[in-house]
Amino acid sequence: MSFMLAAVLCGPLMAQYVEPERGSVVRAAMLDALRAHADEQLGAPVEFIVHELRVDGIFGFASVVAQRPGGGAIDLYQTPGFREGLFDPSSMDGTSMQALLRRSGDTWVAVHWAIGATDVWFAYGPFCRRYRAVIGDYCEGVN
């Protein structure tokens, strides 16, 4: 009885998001949305090591690390983003990438994203309110 009561009381606090399965259409579409930005700033081709991929309805969250196909490291000093002055590799967390995504029909769009962020930039009030379903655990204590 006490287990059932605890499950009922804690239920609303548990995450409602799902992680798209490897090989699924949703997973591929979400990673393709990230790939467009990664290719532009890091240079194509890239592949991702997925740390987190979350979906709840039309909202998504991704935390990945970009690399060259087969596991090759990306030299940030040899990327379009560095050459164009978009980032400084000496102050970045490598090729880590996070994104807040939104689905429109069958298409996923990386609405807010960052490469090499050294903080949890998405744990910010307006993002937490809109994307709480997929980043609620990051937003503890954020208004």
Side-chain angles (χ1 to χ4, degrees):
M1 175 79 171
S2 62
F3 173 77
M4 291 293 284
L5 180 59
V8 168
L9 293 176
C10 293
L13 301 177
M14 294 180 186
Q16 299 297 310
Y17 62 81
V18 296
E19 181 174 341
E21 296 285 326
R22 284 181 176 251
S24 70
V25 171
V26 170
R27 185 181 179 103
M30 291 177 78
L31 293 177
D32 284 346
L34 297 178
R35 193 175 328 282
H37 299 293
D39 283 351
E40 179 182 9
Q41 291 200 3
L42 300 175
V46 298
E47 66 180 20
F48 299 114
I49 297 170
V50 176
H51 290 288
E52 292 183 89
L53 199 58
R54 303 173 175 188
V55 174
D56 187 341
I58 63 169
F59 296 106
F61 170 74
S63 177
V64 303
V65 174
Q67 63 182 18
R68 296 291 177 227
I74 296 173
D75 180 351
L76 289 169
Y77 290 98
Q78 301 301 316
T79 62
F82 175 72
R83 287 191 298 272
E84 295 169 13
L86 299 174
F87 52 71
D88 175 8
S90 69
S91 64
M92 294 172 61
D93 184 17
T95 60
S96 66
M97 186 173 188
Q98 303 81 34
L100 298 170
L101 300 103
R102 188 169 178 142
R103 183 174 49 85
S104 176
D106 293 332
T107 303
W108 282 91
V109 176
V111 180
H112 306 281
W113 57 275
I115 296 174
T118 59
D119 62 357
V120 186
W121 58 268
F122 48 88
Y124 164 65
F127 294 155
C128 288
R129 285 189 290 279
R130 176 166 286 178
Y131 295 91
R132 184 164 300 279
V134 291
I135 60 169
D137 53 331
Y138 289 101
C139 295
E140 294 295 321
V142 175
N143 294 327

